[in-house]
């Protein structure tokens, strides 16, 4: 009697759990379908301009210092989002930073966008209006264990450029921005 009661209650619990899981997956699948439809709805802006020549997009610039066991590759890519300008819109850019040892062992890989500068800078309006135009590697002294990059933002309205120096450790974390 006890065994049959135990089996019956165990079956009831498992049946109840199975129903709640299917109910959750049904609501999750409809929510996922709704979000896919909503995400597909905004159309990509057309006729936007770029502040970078197309030949420079997607090409990796590699930098190697003689005193360091580190090789840094910077690849400028076009982002999906845009910045409005006085005569249309401009595509934002991002940069892929890949650091490897001379042996080929990867150290870190990170994608930087202009919004990353906003966490460390007081000039938010310059960052909001600007478009990432170029990124260059800045050599450091041998004993310093960080990577320094110069990110240049260009304001499409005034064609004024602003340079930010980004210091990153060997984990790909931004330490400071000047």
């Amino acid at each position: 009697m006890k065994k049959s009661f135990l089996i019956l209650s165990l079956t009831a619990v498992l049946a109840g759990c199975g129903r709640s899981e299917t109910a959750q997956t049904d609501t999750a699948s409809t929510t996922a379908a709704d979000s896919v439809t909503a995400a597909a709805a905004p159309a990509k802006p057309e006729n936007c301009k770029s502040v970078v020549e197309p030949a420079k997009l997607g090409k990796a610039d590699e930098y190697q210092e003689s005193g360091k066991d580190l090789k840094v590759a910077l690849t400028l890519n076009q982002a999906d989002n845009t910045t409005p300008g006085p005569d249309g819109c401009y595509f934002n850019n991002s940069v892929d930073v890949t650091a490897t040892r001379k042996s080929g062992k990867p150290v870190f890989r990170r994608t930087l966008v202009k919004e990353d500068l906003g966490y460390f800078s007081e000039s938010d309006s310059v960052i909001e209006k600007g478009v990432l135009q170029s990124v260059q590697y800045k050599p450091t002294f041998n004993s310093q264990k960080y990577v320094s990059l110069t990110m240049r933002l260009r304001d499409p309205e005034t064609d004024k450029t602003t340079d930010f120096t980004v210091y990153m450790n060997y984990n790909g974390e931004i330490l400071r921005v000047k």
Side-chain angles (χ1 to χ4, degrees):
M1 182 81 166
K2 287 182 183 180
K3 287 183 182 180
S4 61
F5 178 72
L6 184 62
I7 292 174
L8 181 63
S9 60
L10 185 60
T11 344
V13 168
L14 289 175
C17 289
R19 287 185 192 147
S20 64
E21 287 176 7
T22 56
Q24 288 174 354
T25 55
D26 290 344
T27 57
S29 63
T30 57
T31 307
D34 293 342
S35 64
V36 168
T37 307
K44 190 173 181 180
E46 296 179 10
N47 301 329
C48 284
K49 301 171 191 161
S50 177
V51 294
V52 180
E53 295 98 37
K56 290 188 177 184
L57 290 172
K59 279 188 166 179
D61 294 330
E62 293 185 0
Y63 300 93
Q64 172 72 52
E65 286 191 53
S66 60
K68 283 190 175 181
D69 184 30
L70 194 69
K71 183 164 72 171
V72 178
L74 304 174
T75 308
L76 196 63
N77 296 314
Q78 198 170 69
D80 293 335
N81 57 352
T82 59
T83 299
D87 53 344
C89 59
Y90 290 85
F91 283 111
N92 289 321
N93 298 313
S94 64
V95 64
D96 290 330
V97 181
T98 307
T100 55
R101 301 236 181 252
K102 284 184 182 177
S103 63
K105 180 182 174 189
V107 178
F108 73 86
R109 181 179 171 90
R110 164 114 191 223
T111 300
L112 292 175
V113 292
K114 70 175 186 172
E115 286 80 12
D116 291 335
L117 301 173
Y119 297 114
F120 298 92
S121 178
E122 300 90 31
S123 55
D124 288 338
S125 63
V126 173
I127 296 170
E128 286 179 13
K129 291 180 185 178
V131 176
L132 181 63
Q133 181 178 5
S134 65
V135 179
Q136 291 183 333
Y137 179 76
K138 249 179 110 175
T140 57
F141 295 107
N142 294 339
S143 64
Q144 296 173 332
K145 297 289 184 186
Y146 58 84
V147 174
S148 59
L149 307 171
T150 301
M151 296 177 71
R152 176 169 284 175
L153 296 182
R154 184 175 140 215
D155 186 357
E157 295 177 3
T158 62
D159 286 337
K160 180 182 173 188
T161 59
T162 308
D163 290 343
F164 294 92
T165 303
V166 178
Y167 297 93
M168 299 171 63
N169 63 11
Y170 284 181
N171 295 327
E173 301 168 341
I174 298 175
L175 300 175
R176 65 180 174 168
V177 174
K178 280 204 240 178

